[in-house]
Amino acid sequence: MSNDDLVADVSDELFWDPKVHSEAIAVAADDGKITLRGTVGSFREKREAKKAAQRVFGVVSVDDELQVRLMGDSKRADADIRGDVLQALMLDSLVPSTIDAKVDDGFVTLTGTAEWQYERDEAEMVASAVVGILDISDEIKLVNTTPKAGDVKDSIKDAFKRNAKLDADDLSVSTSNGTVTISGIVSSWSEHDEALDAAWSAPGVTDVDDLMVVEY
């Protein structure tokens, strides 16, 4: 697929997604590597634009350089934003009470601890929906008992084999002190994400080093 064709397909996908207003988004492509530039009206829309670009066949990576530009009433005091973020975190049963947030000029930093990556992901997703946020930095630390490296590796490989979307033979897994390294070739972003989710679901994993390559 040529760069021009890929730009056209990504632009069409952005236009097709009702959660994204694509009028102020510029798309560039270089051998499957997509760059998004321009402005969006919310941090949530920025996240959705990147996800839309990743869905397109032929995309191997997305560099999201979109800037959040708040208009009129969307600009809010840091104290008000923090209050809404904390309220949203508290109301979500998947977010542990050990997670906190601070806000500086619209930039949110999530802090505290969690036992699982899905709890960190949930906290970031919930916070991203709050009006007035310009960006989110996730500094939540994972705290979990680290099992034997062999047990973690075997459990992840078994999860790969159970997943119909993954070709376990094309992926290599190594572990060290709670950090999992995944390398190999996947055929799509959805397969890439499935592999990451499987790795993060293993007990004792505190970090995942993603060395996978998307090849079509």
Side-chain angles (χ1 to χ4, degrees), residues 83-201:
D84 283 356
V85 169
L86 293 178
Q87 178 77 359
L89 295 175
M90 182 184 67
L91 292 175
D92 192 309
S93 61
L94 296 181
V95 178
S97 60
T98 50
I99 293 179
D100 199 355
K102 56 184 180 181
V103 184
D104 185 14
D105 289 335
F107 290 84
V108 175
T109 301
L110 298 175
T111 60
T113 60
E115 292 188 358
W116 297 92
Q117 176 64 18
Y118 79 82
E119 295 172 334
R120 292 204 308 189
D121 290 341
E122 185 74 11
E124 184 172 341
M125 186 188 72
V126 168
S128 71
V130 174
V131 175
I133 290 177
L134 295 177
D135 206 346
I136 295 179
S137 177
D138 187 350
E139 296 183 3
I140 301 168
K141 298 184 183 299
L142 288 182
V143 291
N144 208 333
T145 302
T146 303
K148 295 179 180 179
D151 294 340
V152 175
K153 179 179 178 178
D154 290 343
S155 64
I156 293 173
K157 292 293 286 185
D158 288 343
F160 286 175
K161 293 176 181 178
R162 290 193 301 270
N163 193 318
K165 296 181 179 180
L166 292 175
D167 187 346
D169 293 335
D170 290 337
L171 295 175
S172 176
V173 179
S174 62
T175 60
S176 177
N177 297 323
T179 297
V180 174
T181 300
I182 308 177
S183 58
I185 297 173
V186 291
S187 59
S188 67
W189 271 103
S190 62
E191 187 177 352
H192 168 275
D193 292 345
E194 290 283 346
L196 284 184
D197 288 345
W200 277 118
S201 296

Side-chain angles (χ1 to χ4, degrees), residues 23 59 73-75 85 123 126 136 175 186 208-209:
E23 294 84 357
V59 172
D73 296 338
S74 295
K75 297 180 180 179
V85 169
V126 168
I136 295 179
T175 60
V186 291
V208 174
D209 188 9

